[in-house]
Amino acid sequence: MAIETLNVKMQGDATSYQRMLSQAQAATQQAAASIQRAGLQVESMQQRLIRAGVSLQTAGRNIQSAGRSMAIGITAPIVALGGASVRVFARFDQAMTETFAKMGRVSPEVREQMEGVAKSLSMSGEVAFAPSELAKGYEELASAGLNAERAMAALPITAKFAQAGAFSLGVAVKQLTGALASYGITTQTTDPVKFAREMEHFSDVIVGVANETTTGVEQVARAMSADAAVAAKQYGASVEELGAILGVFALQNKDAEEAGNLTGRAFRLLTGAFASKKKLWLEMGMDITDGAGNFIKFADAIAVLEKGIGGLSPEAKVVALKKLGMATLSQKAILPLIGQSGELKRQEALYRKTGVTIDMAAIQMESFANRMKVTRNHLLVIAEEMGKSLAPVLIFISGKIRELTRWWIVLGPEVKRAGAVIATVAAIIGPALIVLGTVMLTGGRALSGIVVVVGVAGGALLTLAKVVLLVLNPVKLFSAALAGLLVAVKFLAL
């Protein structure tokens, strides 16, 4: 009876415990499934966070790139080009304004025409001077007394003369106008077209002397602008004759002011001696005048002198020249020319050639440096035109700035402070965009760090789910073992 009672109790307890274990197993499986779903959700969240982080970083980089591209690719070049154009226009406009300060006011149409001549000449390839340099040439011509019409006619030949001699326009203008004035060719009394032709004529002779001798264009021009041209005009010599005398002196290493002064003294010494000792000259068979009382060509006069004293010894020549009215100390101006009449005639004929200046300038322009300057001039003209277009806008803005300045001065302190705050806010908008892009980029990187943490957590949850599922195996084994034990006990009780 006791054994039967024990059997009943143990059987009841085993059934209850087995039911409890089954319930525990089901609950554990549900928990493991929930944990596994949570892990999968975390993995999904990790992927979304990764994509969000990448998008945020991309957006940050795009904003930064857009800001830099706008600043570097568009804003900076436009500002630089605009600033350069305004500076080029300012230099050209300043030179033209200084020209009219000396020349006097001209109509807008004449000014436009003068500017067009300078720009066209700078781009022609005939000279390497920039537009602003040619505008400065106008100023030099105005200083020499040329009006607008004469200056436009004279600028091209003056620029070519300067190009041929490789010196500045200022020097070219002074030398040419000085030589012309010495010959009585003035800007006030000469037709503009004729004046330009005379400038070209003088320029051709000067460049021709430089080509024929070892001296330079500037040195010949300086010699001609000294006493030489005045004395030649008084004698009645042509420009070609003057050039020949300067050329002969140049062959003897005498140039610039020295040659000019010697030439002037030679003219005066010859004419003065003949006038003071005319009877003696005629007695010696030497007449340097024509039937009308004018002096013959200088080379012919030297030839006459050579014929009269050519056979004498050097010492006897000095004595003879002194008797003819030429003081001993002054003879150094005439002695180098005696025996050179043939060379004087040869060079005089040579200097009648025209177009010499243009040819020499063209040779100078063949150099690489000058060709690049012509290209530069084209760009400068474009820049000047752009600057000219911007100038009215800048003038308008500057006027508004002056008005704003006057308005600001009379404002109260509180309004000025408020204005300062507004200006500060406006000033930081641009930098703020770059900062925003940087912050977004940094945020994206931080989000990527969070993604890593979340990924670790998701992995841990999945691991936990697996562990829980593994734990279920011992429970099943224990339940089976207990059930087997109960069956065994029941069997023994029978």
Side-chain angles (χ1 to χ4, degrees):
M1 187 66 181
I3 294 175
E4 183 66 23
T5 302
L6 176 63
N7 181 40
V8 172
K9 286 183 178 180
M10 289 186 67
Q11 186 177 9
D13 291 340
T15 302
S16 176
Y17 186 71
Q18 192 173 17
R19 186 173 57 254
M20 291 172 60
L21 286 175
S22 297
Q23 292 175 352
Q25 181 181 0
T28 302
Q29 289 176 339
Q30 291 178 356
S34 298
I35 292 172
Q36 190 172 18
R37 284 194 301 272
L40 294 174
Q41 291 175 353
V42 168
E43 281 188 337
S44 178
M45 180 182 297
Q46 179 187 14
Q47 296 301 321
R48 288 196 296 270
L49 288 174
I50 289 174
R51 289 194 295 270
V54 170
S55 298
L56 193 58
Q57 291 185 58
T58 301
R61 291 192 187 96
N62 289 340
I63 291 176
Q64 284 186 327
S65 178
R68 292 192 185 98
S69 297
M70 287 289 292
I72 297 173
I74 299 177
T75 305
I78 289 176
V79 172
L81 180 60
S85 299
V86 170
R87 286 193 296 272
V88 170
F89 168 73
R91 285 196 298 268
F92 184 77
D93 181 72
Q94 183 66 29
M96 293 300 298
T97 301
E98 290 173 359
T99 295
F100 299 126
K102 296 180 179 180
M103 185 180 292
R105 291 185 180 276
V106 298
S107 66
E109 293 77 14
V110 172
R111 174 166 181 154
E112 190 74 21
Q113 187 178 0
M114 292 179 67
E115 291 178 354
V117 170
K119 293 175 186 178
S120 298
L121 184 59
S122 71
M123 295 188 296
S124 66
E126 297 176 349
V127 297
F129 295 107
S132 58
E133 292 175 301
L134 293 171
K136 196 71 176 175
Y138 275 138
E139 182 185 356
E140 298 291 346
L141 291 169
S143 299
L146 278 71
N147 60 18
E149 185 180 8
R150 288 183 171 88
M152 282 189 285
L155 183 64
I157 187 59
T158 305
K160 292 171 187 175
F161 175 64
Q163 190 68 61
F167 47 77
S168 69
L169 275 169
V171 172
V173 171
K174 290 177 182 178
Q175 304 299 351
L176 278 179
T177 56
L180 286 166
S182 298
Y183 262 84
I185 304 172
T186 63
T187 58
Q188 290 80 14
T189 59
T190 307
D191 176 79
V193 177
K194 182 180 178 182
F195 185 81
R197 285 201 300 265
E198 289 295 344
M199 288 189 77
E200 186 173 3
H201 180 200
F202 273 66
S203 175
D204 284 342
V205 171
I206 292 171
V207 174
V209 174
N211 290 344
E212 187 65 20
T213 64
T214 57
T215 190
V217 174
E218 184 176 359
Q219 284 69 33
V220 179
R222 285 162 57 190
M224 191 174 287
S225 297
D227 188 40
V230 175
K233 175 68 168 60
Q234 292 175 343
Y235 183 87
S238 65
V239 181
E240 290 80 6
E241 290 181 78
L242 175 58
I245 298 170
L246 295 175
V248 169
F249 276 124
L251 292 175
Q252 301 175 45
N253 295 321
K254 296 177 177 61
D255 59 13
E257 287 79 8
E258 180 187 10
N261 292 330
L262 286 173
T263 300
R265 291 169 65 183
F267 275 120
R268 292 189 177 92
L269 186 62
L270 184 64
T271 56
F274 181 79
S276 63
K277 301 287 185 177
K278 183 176 181 180
K279 183 178 180 181
L280 180 60
W281 279 67
L282 294 177
E283 289 176 354
M284 295 179 64
M286 295 187 297
D287 189 359
I288 59 173
T289 60
D290 58 16
N294 299 315
F295 289 108
I296 61 178
K297 285 182 174 293
F298 188 82
D300 293 336
I302 293 296
V304 168
L305 196 58
E306 290 172 348
K307 184 177 180 181
I309 64 173
L312 301 177
S313 66
E315 183 179 356
K317 285 181 181 179
V318 173
V319 174
L321 289 174
K322 186 176 181 180
K323 288 182 180 179
L324 290 171
M326 301 181 190
T328 303
L329 294 178
S330 300
Q331 292 178 17
K332 65 178 182 180
I334 200 72
L335 283 172
L337 300 176
I338 295 177
Q340 299 292 330
S341 60
E343 180 65 17
L344 288 170
K345 292 177 181 180
R346 186 189 74 83
Q347 289 199 32
E348 179 187 345
L350 186 65
Y351 301 148
R352 292 194 183 98
K353 182 181 178 181
T354 60
V356 179
T357 301
I358 295 174
D359 292 341
M360 175 60 73
I363 294 173
Q364 292 278 12
M365 290 303 298
E366 291 177 359
S367 72
F368 174 78
N370 284 334
R371 290 182 180 183
M372 292 300 99
K373 286 181 180 179
V374 174
T375 302
R376 174 208 63 184
N377 293 343
H378 280 75
L379 297 176
L380 288 175
V381 169
I382 294 174
E384 193 278 334
E385 293 290 342
M386 292 178 62
K388 188 175 182 179
S389 299
L390 289 172
V393 178
L394 296 177
I395 292 173
F396 174 79
I397 293 174
S398 64
K400 293 301 180 181
I401 290 174
R402 288 194 293 269
E403 293 178 7
L404 180 61
T405 302
R406 290 190 291 268
W407 173 76
W408 177 265
I409 291 173
V410 299
L411 292 177
E414 294 182 358
V415 178
K416 290 180 179 180
R417 281 195 295 271
V421 171
I422 294 172
T424 302
V425 171
I428 65 174
I429 289 176
L433 287 175
I434 296 178
V435 172
L436 174 61
T438 303
V439 170
M440 292 182 67
L441 186 59
T442 304
R445 290 169 180 165
L447 187 57
S448 295
I450 295 173
V451 167
V452 173
V453 175
V454 172
V456 172
L461 288 174
L462 291 174
T463 303
L464 177 60
K466 293 176 181 179
V467 170
V468 171
L469 291 174
L470 289 175
V471 170
L472 292 177
N473 292 330
V475 172
K476 291 178 179 179
L477 292 173
F478 179 74
S479 177
L482 184 59
L485 179 61
L486 292 176
V487 171
V489 172
K490 182 176 180 180
F491 177 77
L492 291 174
L494 293 176

